[in-house]
Amino acid sequence: MILLKKLALTILSCSAYSLAMALFHHTPISQQKDNVLYFSISDIFLLFFLFSIVIFVIGGVPISIMIDKIIEKMNFSWRVYKYVLHVTLYILAGLLAGTLYTFGLIGEVSNSVLLHSAFGALTFYVVSLTTPKLINFFKGNH
């Protein structure tokens, strides 16, 4: 059940990440130059989704389960420590997964890859954190 839940969160996270990246990387028509190829938002979304879903599934799901088990075993005096450690571990895991994937594909890693990897990991964490709360809210379990 945990794996199925993580896979569903992965698809939501990857979709949110890809949408954010498509909006960020899209060039509005008013700023486009003549004789230059530009992609639509949906094209950019699909490109980011197809590349990142592999990282999210192969790297994100197992690492996320492992991080959750580590955090579960720890006793925190303040809740904020738990969130700070969670965010830190997710960012480090995202950096590791993105670096390994990109290095395996093209043999080098850039600052852009590291930034995208960290943002993807944070997106996964935020979606993992907010989705159960949103589901309970819409079910009426405030």
Side-chain angles (χ1 to χ4, degrees):
M1 186 66 175
I2 290 174
L3 183 61
L4 189 59
K5 181 179 173 183
K6 289 289 182 184
L7 287 173
L9 289 172
T10 298
I11 292 169
L12 284 172
S13 301
C14 191
S15 297
Y17 168 77
S18 299
L19 179 61
M21 290 296 101
L23 292 171
F24 180 75
H25 288 286
H26 180 258
T27 304
I29 293 174
S30 62
Q31 296 177 4
Q32 292 180 0
K33 297 177 181 165
D34 292 335
N35 300 322
V36 176
L37 177 64
Y38 293 96
F39 294 101
S40 68
I41 289 178
S42 59
D43 291 339
I44 299 168
F45 172 87
L46 188 59
L47 181 68
F48 270 98
F49 188 87
L50 292 175
F51 275 101
S52 61
I53 193 70
V54 175
I55 300 170
F56 275 78
V57 170
I58 294 174
V61 172
I63 292 172
S64 173
I65 291 170
M66 186 176 68
I67 289 172
D68 290 347
K69 287 184 180 189
I70 290 169
I71 297 289
E72 199 175 273
K73 291 180 182 181
M74 299 177 83
N75 187 15
F76 294 95
S77 56
W78 286 347
R79 199 179 218 178
V80 71
Y81 292 150
K82 178 180 177 181
Y83 289 118
V84 168
L85 184 59
H86 244 132
V87 167
T88 304
L89 290 175
Y90 268 82
I91 289 173
L92 290 173
L95 292 173
L96 177 66
T99 299
L100 291 174
Y101 180 71
T102 306
F103 193 77
L105 280 180
I106 60 174
E108 63 183 50
V109 179
S110 67
N111 289 340
S112 176
V113 167
L114 296 176
L115 186 62
H116 282 82
S117 299
F119 183 71
L122 282 175
T123 304
F124 190 92
Y125 177 65
V126 169
V127 169
S128 299
L129 196 63
T130 57
T131 300
K133 293 177 193 255
L134 287 171
I135 290 170
N136 285 336
F137 178 78
F138 287 114
K139 279 185 175 179
N141 302 338
H142 307 290

